[in-house]
Amino acid sequence: MNILTAKYKWLPFSNASGALLSETQSCSLSLTSSHQNHVEPMNDTRILGFLLLGLSEEPELQPVIFGLFLSTYLMTVFGNLLIILAISSDSHLHTPMYFFLSNLSFVDICVTSTTLPKTLSNIQTHSKVITYAGCVTQLYFFVLFIGLDSLLLTVMAYDRFVAICHPLHYTVIMNPQFCGLLVLVSWIMSALHSLTESLMVLPLLFCTDLKIPQFFCEIHQIIHIACSDTFLNNLVMYLSTVLLGGGPLAGILYSYSKIVSSIRAISSAEGKYKAFSTCASYLSVVSLFYCTGLGVYLSSAATHSSLSSAAASVMYTVVTPMLNPFIYSLRNKDIKEALRRFFRRKK
């Protein structure tokens, strides 16, 4: 008997979320072209989609969550676009540090654009479904841009290291070609890592549990609900976390240990303040990025509460990109002056 026609059909979800459910309890949300009389995970199994549970399943909270996510998304896009426009329109900011900052702002827009539009659409349409192809695509771009965030922060730390520890050679070392090469290498490394993670998800088999306790397709959650062997996936995921998370963090810590030593060697208090002020905004962004990222990891490892894990992910993927423009515009005198000149020209 053909399982495709006998076992599956579209049914409304009980809370009007609109999900594809099976009439039986075995391997729901999956299709197979096999003509066997029983259902089990098979190599030709095709998953139609997943359910993104989001932050809450309470109907009365959905308008509140929608409003918060929408306002956060608009502030993130608007704030980071302002940073990019201010840097590109002001010749005084055509330096390596602000070149890397404009790239970071672009990536922050991409991070939130990967997750929030789908979340807002699901809330608006009262649906929790994301297709299998959509989930894998979202996973690819999310891993790509989060990895880019980490690598660009490392490049920015190296830029400050050269500027403070080797000021006489700064313009020679951080020439436009080398800066472009650093950004290009960051894109290539992150793209390869993201492609590897995404391709390794494709062979995974899924059975009854297709609910992702997140508002987006997070790789850890996808691997967790798979019913096939995930040893290799977990191994690659943890290795990549160490290499692309711990490696950049080690580079940042090393760079700033040298920077602190150089600042301490400056005799005048004014010189120390000027050197430190160029790094203050960056240190705030790095602390926010890695502390929230560590919070996500610890919350998922220490507790099985889906709500706490999702809330930690909001801080990591939504709040941090939104706060970055405010940190740079409030603490950076050059950015504030560039924004003033930009708005004067518009008036």
Side-chain angles (χ1 to χ4, degrees):
M1 181 171 58
N2 194 321
I3 298 173
L4 175 60
T5 58
K7 296 250 184 205
Y8 295 92
K9 65 178 182 179
W10 285 96
L11 294 175
F13 197 54
S14 59
N15 63 356
S17 64
L20 183 62
L21 300 178
S22 168
E23 291 182 336
T24 66
Q25 294 299 314
S26 57
C27 289
S28 61
L29 282 174
S30 60
L31 296 179
T32 175
S33 59
S34 170
H35 293 273
Q36 299 180 17
N37 292 324
H38 62 281
V39 182
E40 60 183 10
M42 298 175 61
N43 290 335
D44 61 348
T45 300
R46 295 293 179 265
I47 304 302
L48 292 182
F50 298 95
L51 291 178
L52 297 175
L53 300 184
L55 296 179
S56 173
E57 295 188 65
E58 298 294 332
E60 60 271 14
L61 290 179
Q62 299 310 307
V64 178
I65 296 173
F66 180 85
L68 288 174
F69 274 171
L70 179 61
S71 58
T72 301
Y73 180 61
L74 293 176
M75 283 191 290
T76 301
V77 173
F78 181 71
N80 283 288
L81 277 178
L82 274 182
I83 296 291
I84 295 172
L85 289 173
I87 293 173
S88 60
S89 64
D90 197 316
S91 59
H92 297 91
L93 301 184
H94 292 175
T95 62
M97 181 175 76
Y98 293 110
F99 169 70
F100 296 135
L101 175 58
S102 62
N103 278 272
L104 183 67
S105 294
F106 172 74
V107 171
D108 281 340
I109 293 174
C110 294
V111 168
T112 52
S113 297
T114 300
T115 58
L116 286 189
K118 177 59 179 174
T119 303
L120 293 171
S121 173
N122 280 3
I123 295 174
Q124 189 67 20
T125 58
H126 306 288
S127 170
K128 295 181 182 294
V129 176
I130 183 170
T131 64
Y132 179 78
C135 188
V136 174
T137 303
Q138 189 182 68
L139 168 67
Y140 171 81
F141 284 107
F142 179 75
V143 174
L144 169 67
F145 294 124
I146 285 294
L148 260 177
D149 247 337
S150 179
L151 292 172
L152 285 175
L153 289 173
T154 310
V155 169
M156 293 172 73
Y158 177 72
D159 171 73
R160 292 299 85 203
F161 164 73
V162 176
I164 294 174
C165 300
H166 305 284
L168 298 179
H169 302 95
Y170 179 72
T171 54
V172 177
I173 296 174
M174 302 302 293
N175 59 75
Q177 291 78 15
F178 183 62
C179 293
L181 180 63
L182 288 174
V183 172
L184 178 62
V185 170
S186 298
W187 272 93
I188 292 173
M189 288 178 62
S190 188
L192 290 175
H193 165 235
S194 181
L195 183 63
T196 302
E197 295 275 21
S198 302
L199 289 177
M200 292 194 66
V201 167
L202 298 180
L204 293 179
L205 302 177
F206 302 88
C207 284
T208 58
D209 188 8
L210 293 172
K211 297 178 181 179
I212 300 176
Q214 273 288 6
F215 61 95
F216 67 99
C217 289
E218 188 184 35
I219 185 166
H220 173 75
Q221 299 292 345
I222 294 174
I223 293 174
H224 181 70
I225 65 174
C227 61
S228 56
D229 183 27
T230 59
F231 172 77
L232 194 57
N233 297 81
N234 283 308
L235 179 64
V236 171
M237 183 175 64
Y238 290 128
L239 282 177
S240 62
T241 301
V242 171
L243 294 176
L244 293 178
L249 180 59
I252 291 170
L253 293 176
Y254 174 79
S255 297
Y256 270 86
S257 67
K258 294 296 184 181
I259 289 172
V260 170
S261 299
S262 297
I263 291 176
R264 290 179 62 186
I266 299 175
S267 56
S268 67
E270 184 181 353
K272 288 182 179 179
Y273 175 78
K274 186 177 180 181
F276 181 75
S277 64
T278 63
C279 306
S281 300
Y282 172 82
L283 286 174
S284 301
V285 170
V286 168
S287 301
L288 189 63
F289 179 81
Y290 280 101
C291 287
T292 52
L294 184 62
V296 171
Y297 175 78
L298 293 177
S299 66
S300 61
T303 179
H304 296 290
S305 172
S306 59
L307 180 60
S308 61
S309 179
S313 295
V314 169
M315 290 296 298
Y316 181 52
T317 62
V318 178
V319 177
T320 299
M322 180 193 69
L323 291 180
N324 285 351
F326 293 100
I327 293 172
Y328 277 106
S329 60
L330 292 175
R331 299 182 64 96
N332 191 299
K333 190 181 296 184
D334 293 334
I335 291 290
K336 285 192 285 188
E337 289 298 323
L339 287 173
R340 287 194 191 100
R341 287 192 290 267
F342 177 76
F343 285 114
R344 279 198 213 105
R345 285 197 296 270
K346 290 297 178 183
K347 289 180 181 179

